[in-house]
Amino acid sequence: MRRFLTSEVMQNSITITGEEANHMKNAVRMNVGDEFIAFDGSGTDYTCVITKVDKDISADITDRTQSKAEPNIKVTLYQAYPKSAKMNEIVQKAIELGAAAIVPFLSKRCVKRPSGQGEKLSKVALSAVKQCGRSVLPKVADVQSFEQAAELMKSHELLIVCFEEERLTSLAQALCKDVSDIGIVIGSEGGFERFEIEKMREVGGIPVTLGRRIMRTETAGMAVLSACFYAKGQMEY
C-alpha cells in the first residue's frame, strides 16, 4: 500500500497537504475510496480511506498501528561531503538501512564544499522513508563545519571513526560495547588529516580499520551501518 507523510492527524481523520497531496492527485491519480497508509514521522502508521480530493486530501482513519520497522538502536551517520551527487545516494541508502540521523560535514580534504543542503537532502530522506516502510523521519542536518560536527559527535555512547591508516582496532572489536546510541564517521574521497583524527579521539572517537580493502566513501558508510545493525540484532524479522 502506498505511503504518504501527513502533519495533520485528528482523532478519526487525517489531511494530506502540499507536495504530498499534489503527488497523490497528479502523479498517482488517487481518488475517493482509495486506501493508503499515512505516517506523521513519530512512528505511527495510519491506514486511511480517501473521502475528499481537493487542494488537500481528506481521509478517514480505519486503523492505526505502531511501526515495527524502526531499529531499537540509534545510529547517526557523519559523512564528510563527497564529490558529484553521491550525497543523495548516501542519504537514501543510509535511511533504508535504519540510520536515525545524517550529518554531512566538511573535512579538510573535501573537494565539494556546499552550504545548507538540509532541505534538499530531506526530500531524498522522505522518499527513502516511504519506500522502505519506516514511519519515523530521520533528521538530515545542513552541512556542518568539521568543528561543528565534532561537537555533535560528543553525544554518542560509541563513536566509530573509520580510518584507513588504523591497523589495530577492528570494527568488530568496537561493536562489542553494549550501547544503544552509535555515531559513525566516514571520510570523503581523500580521507582525514591526522589532526582531525586526533580531534575525534578527544571527543571519544575510536578509529577502526575496515580491513585490507579500501572502500569508496559511498560504500564505507553502508558497510559499517549494515555491520552495526547486524551486530546489534536489528536485521531479524
Side-chain angles (χ1 to χ4, degrees):
M1 201 178 298
R2 293 185 181 274
R3 302 172 61 80
F4 298 94
L5 179 68
T6 180
S7 59
E8 299 183 26
V9 180
M10 282 67 78
Q11 185 172 356
N12 297 307
S13 64
I14 62 103
T15 304
I16 307 287
T17 62
E19 291 185 12
E20 288 288 89
N22 287 335
H23 183 67
M24 292 177 76
K25 290 184 296 183
N26 302 321
V28 187
R29 303 289 184 182
M30 298 188 77
N31 216 322
V32 172
D34 290 341
E35 277 193 313
F36 66 96
I37 294 175
F39 64 99
D40 60 6
S42 68
T44 302
D45 285 339
Y46 304 90
T47 303
C48 302
V49 177
I50 296 175
T51 56
K52 183 179 179 182
V53 177
D54 203 339
K55 179 183 177 183
D56 300 330
I57 304 287
S58 301
D60 287 342
I61 298 170
T62 60
D63 192 23
R64 64 186 77 203
T65 57
Q66 197 66 24
S67 172
K68 296 180 180 178
E70 290 304 313
N72 293 328
I73 60 171
K74 179 183 177 183
V75 182
T76 299
L77 175 65
Y78 293 86
Q79 174 69 55
Y81 215 95
K83 294 187 289 187
S84 304
K86 294 176 183 177
M87 197 66 213
N88 286 9
E89 181 181 0
I90 289 168
V91 168
Q92 180 190 65
K93 302 309 180 189
I95 286 174
E96 288 177 15
L97 285 166
I102 301 167
V103 182
F105 69 98
L106 300 177
S107 62
K108 181 73 172 178
R109 297 181 185 176
C110 285
V111 174
K112 191 172 183 178
R113 309 185 73 82
S115 59
Q117 300 291 304
E119 183 176 351
K120 172 188 170 185
L121 294 174
S122 291
K123 292 182 179 179
V124 177
L126 174 58
S127 178
V129 164
K130 290 162 68 175
Q131 184 276 323
C132 72
R134 295 180 64 182
S135 297
V136 173
L137 196 58
K139 168 71 174 175
V140 182
D142 281 332
V143 178
Q144 307 286 299
S145 68
F146 175 75
E147 292 74 18
Q148 289 171 323
E151 280 297 310
L152 296 174
M153 292 175 194
K154 293 178 180 178
S155 65
H156 304 287
E157 295 175 85
L158 172 63
L159 182 65
I160 295 170
V161 180
C162 299
F163 185 39
E164 69 274 12
E165 295 181 23
E166 176 62 29
R167 296 292 182 267
L168 298 177
T169 304
S170 69
L171 178 60
Q173 289 172 313
L175 288 173
C176 283
K177 295 179 179 291
D178 184 17
V179 296
S180 59
D181 188 336
I182 301 171
I184 297 169
V185 188
I186 305 293
S188 64
E189 290 82 357
F192 289 116
E193 295 279 352
R194 178 63 65 173
F195 79 88
E196 292 171 325
I197 293 296
E198 293 309 314
K199 176 62 178 178
M200 289 186 282
R201 285 186 195 272
E202 290 176 14
V203 299
I206 301 173
V208 303
T209 176
L210 299 183
R212 296 178 182 274
R213 294 171 298 283
I214 302 297
M215 298 182 192
R216 294 178 184 272
T217 184
E218 65 269 29
T219 305
M222 302 313 105
V224 180
L225 279 167
S226 298
C228 283
F229 288 121
Y230 177 77
K232 300 302 180 182
Q234 301 300 303
M235 285 188 150
E236 300 172 2
Y237 200 82

